[in-house]
Amino acid sequence: MINTFSEKVKKLTTNLNLKKTLLLVLKAAKGWLIFSVVMILAETILFLGSIYALKILVDKISHINFSDKNSDRDVIKYVVIAAVLAIGYAIAKAISAYITEIQATRVAHYIDEKIHLTAISLELSYFESPDYYDVLSRAKEAGSDRPNLVITTMLEIAKNILNLAAVGSLIFTINWVLLPLLVVFVLPTLFVRIYFANKQNLWRIKHTPLERKSAYLSNLLTSDVSAKEIRAFGLGDYLNNLYKKIRVEVFQQNLKLSYKRTLSEIVTTSMASMGFFACIGYIAVGTVRGTTSVGDIVLFLVIFPQSFTLIQNISSGISILYHNNIFINSIFELFDLKTEETALNSSKAMVESQDLDLELRNVSFTYPHSNKPTLTNIDLKIPAGKIIAIVGLNGAGKSTLIKLLCKLYKPNLGEITLGEVNINELDDADYRNQVSPVFQDFSKYNVSAEDNIRFGNISKPYSEEDIVDASKKSGAHSFVEEFPNQYKTMMGRLFEDGHEVSIGQWQKLAIARALFSSARILIFDEATSALDAVAEKELYDSFRKRISNRSAVIISHRHSAIKHADYIYVLSGGTILQHGTDEELLNMEGDYAKLFKTPNPSI
């Protein structure tokens, strides 16, 4: 039994992580928090002062000497004092609310920024894990306003405790048992709320995947990404019914928990009310019997309900504090996610020479949470200034290889070197500046056309000439210059005055993005899949001129895209089966010759 109690206490203290929350708010708005505390103290002092001034006023009136001509002056003096203190209390309360609002805004902005910075710092593997999205969903559900709410609730509890101490001291003069009895009557409600706060949190964690699934279905039904297919295949009603089924299931289970909590609170609050009136009855009977004075009963009837309200407010504040802290733990769960650091990781400076080969030596890679390797014993070289092509059927491991070359993942075995330096020894950002990819699933940014291109190297000084040059090399200039505002034109339809373009034109902007960068190595992962045959031929027939003296890796299913490469690797089942020039591979028996000697509409 003792162990069970200690475990419950440990769980309560773990969930009620006030120190971490306080440090978070201090980092976000230290000055405003201190100011807020000062104003709440001032508010409390003024409140107590006004009550005390009224007490003195009542005492003066009760002992007034009507024959004394100065009595009116004394009464007015204390009325004015009480009024000034009351006005001061109202002003302090208003200022306190204003400061709390500013503080809440600062904390909310700080948490939003920290969520974004945390997401930016995490390795790509997190974004390919459902667990990460569950953590992120709970952190966002917790909201950026809760940490500040916890601190303000703590201050409110402290203020109510001070007020209760002042008011309670008067009750002690009547009967010292009454106030402790009130606390005992209110405690069951507090315990019930904490119990169900824990239950609610467990329910929330358990149902996070369902909540995310319903959010995904809602996004499918309302976004432009899937709008065409939903209408073309008549999927609207089906997806909407799936959404409603999940929402009904979540709603019913949540309602069941709320029903149990409500019943429990009805019982405990009824007990508290019964206790409250039992105390009143006790004093009333004492008055009838002559053990309690009429003055005591008058004072009791004024003060006692206020004490009961303060105790309820304190109890409610503690339960709100606990409930919000449970949610805040989800925010800290996200912030505590770490990117794994390898022992080799250091800050070696990037070599300035342009003649650096990028090489994979005996590289093997297995995705996290997978037992089957995606790549095995890969040996591949990308010499400086050369064009390398990688060919393979779907599922061969080409996209994974690209992620390794971009240092989005690190090999489990083997090494990747740039100029004989293991890339793990180079700063991630410095290395990634040397590699500019055009991914098969490239992003379509709803920003201006020039920003779509500048994103290839956002730290590079703005140069309209360089933007236009990259655009011309990719083939995007011909349609961008037709826009009313040309390169200042907003792309996409999400925002006002936006211009939607074809998927092939979006892909040309993505290619321009890579060409705009100062990277030594360009990676084209099916980068021309959406281009028409003429545009693709124009790009690759003059590809060497377009990329200048940089290295390039081309991944494609089309012979026209890879036949001009200096060297070609054939990837199958996560291993390299063949390598050589286009002519050499066509004359060999193997996958390459089968793909490109045999007529195949998909190639």
Side-chain angles (χ1 to χ4, degrees), residues 219-236 239 444 493 500-503 506:
N219 186 58
L220 278 181
L221 289 165
T222 56
S223 73
D224 64 323
V225 177
S226 51
K228 294 189 293 292
E229 285 203 7
I230 286 176
R231 283 151 182 77
F233 297 119
L235 299 175
L239 293 174
K444 298 188 290 183
R493 291 288 189 191
E500 187 56 84
V501 293
S502 70
I503 186 65
W506 274 114

Side-chain angles (χ1 to χ4, degrees), residues 384-387 469 473 515 517 519-520 522 542-552:
K386 299 295 183 181
I387 300 174
D469 181 59
K473 287 177 178 177
L515 295 174
S517 75
R520 308 180 195 199
L522 304 178
S542 57
F543 191 65
R544 173 73 63 190
K545 183 180 178 182
R546 293 171 192 263
I547 67 171
S548 302
N549 59 345
R550 294 186 277 189
S551 307

Side-chain angles (χ1 to χ4, degrees), residues 12-45:
L12 284 171
T13 53
T14 301
N15 287 335
L16 200 62
N17 200 342
L18 296 178
K19 182 180 178 182
K20 224 172 181 180
T21 306
L22 180 58
L23 290 173
L24 178 68
V25 175
L26 282 171
K27 283 183 180 178
K30 183 178 179 180
W32 289 105
L33 176 58
I34 294 170
F35 196 5
S36 180
V37 171
V38 169
M39 289 309 302
I40 286 175
L41 287 173
E43 181 185 336
T44 304
I45 292 168

Side-chain angles (χ1 to χ4, degrees), residues 389-414:
I390 300 172
V391 178
L393 297 176
N394 293 332
K398 302 186 299 297
S399 294
T400 302
L401 184 59
I402 296 305
K403 292 174 185 176
L404 293 177
L405 289 174
C406 294
K407 206 181 177 183
L408 299 176
Y409 280 106
K410 296 173 184 177
N412 301 119
L413 295 171

Side-chain angles (χ1 to χ4, degrees), residues 515-527:
L515 295 174
F516 177 77
S517 75
S518 304
R520 308 180 195 199
I521 302 160
L522 304 178
I523 299 178
F524 283 52
D525 182 9
E526 298 290 355

Side-chain angles (χ1 to χ4, degrees), residues 34-288:
I34 294 170
F35 196 5
S36 180
V37 171
V38 169
M39 289 309 302
I40 286 175
L41 287 173
E43 181 185 336
T44 304
I45 292 168
L46 288 167
F47 171 72
L48 296 175
S50 63
I51 289 179
Y52 186 71
L54 285 172
K55 179 183 178 301
I56 295 175
L57 178 62
V58 171
D59 289 341
K60 285 287 182 184
I61 293 173
S62 63
H63 295 91
I64 194 168
N65 182 358
F66 293 102
S67 62
D68 186 356
K69 295 181 179 180
N70 294 323
S71 58
D72 289 352
R73 189 182 303 167
D74 289 341
V75 169
I76 292 171
K77 181 178 75 172
Y78 284 105
V79 168
V80 170
I81 291 172
V84 169
L85 289 171
I87 293 169
Y89 168 70
I91 292 171
K93 193 172 182 179
I95 294 173
S96 180
Y98 174 68
I99 293 167
T100 300
E101 186 178 346
I102 295 174
Q103 180 184 313
T105 303
R106 292 287 183 92
V107 174
H109 288 170
Y110 177 81
I111 290 173
D112 283 342
E113 183 181 10
K114 195 166 174 63
I115 287 175
H116 296 154
L117 291 176
T118 299
I120 291 169
S121 69
L122 294 176
E123 291 180 345
L124 183 64
S125 58
Y126 282 100
F127 295 86
E128 297 178 349
S129 166
D131 292 340
Y132 164 73
Y133 290 104
D134 286 346
V135 171
L136 179 64
S137 177
R138 287 194 292 270
K140 287 186 173 181
E141 182 191 358
S144 54
D145 59 331
R146 287 186 192 268
N148 188 69
L149 185 58
V150 163
I151 302 303
T152 54
T153 303
M154 285 175 60
L155 295 174
E156 194 67 28
I157 291 170
K159 183 173 71 173
N160 284 328
I161 290 173
L162 288 173
N163 291 340
L164 180 64
V167 174
S169 62
L170 297 175
I171 296 176
F172 265 78
T173 62
I174 301 170
N175 193 314
W176 69 271
V177 177
L178 296 177
L179 196 61
L181 273 178
L182 274 185
V183 174
V184 170
F185 289 136
V186 170
L187 279 177
T189 302
L190 174 61
F191 293 148
V192 163
R193 287 173 177 171
I194 289 176
Y195 172 79
F196 279 100
N198 284 325
K199 284 281 187 184
Q200 184 74 30
N201 185 53
L202 292 174
W203 181 91
R204 185 173 64 95
I205 293 171
K206 180 181 176 182
H207 288 82
T208 299
L210 269 182
E211 293 281 7
R212 285 203 303 110
K213 189 173 182 180
S214 69
Y216 168 72
L217 290 170
S218 177
N219 186 58
L220 278 181
L221 289 165
T222 56
S223 73
D224 64 323
V225 177
S226 51
K228 294 189 293 292
E229 285 203 7
I230 286 176
R231 283 151 182 77
F233 297 119
L235 299 175
D237 289 340
Y238 176 76
L239 293 174
N240 189 45
N241 287 333
L242 280 180
Y243 173 79
K244 285 194 294 186
K245 184 179 178 182
I246 293 172
R247 296 314 305 167
V248 167
E249 180 183 347
V250 170
F251 172 74
Q252 286 177 341
Q253 293 187 28
N254 191 26
L255 198 61
K256 189 183 296 184
L257 187 62
S258 297
Y259 177 73
K260 290 180 180 178
R261 185 188 67 243
T262 302
L263 284 181
S264 299
E265 285 197 19
I266 287 172
V267 173
T268 56
T269 52
S270 297
M271 289 170 55
S273 296
M274 289 168 60
F276 171 72
F277 284 103
C279 290
I280 291 178
Y282 172 75
I283 293 295
V285 170
T287 304
V288 172

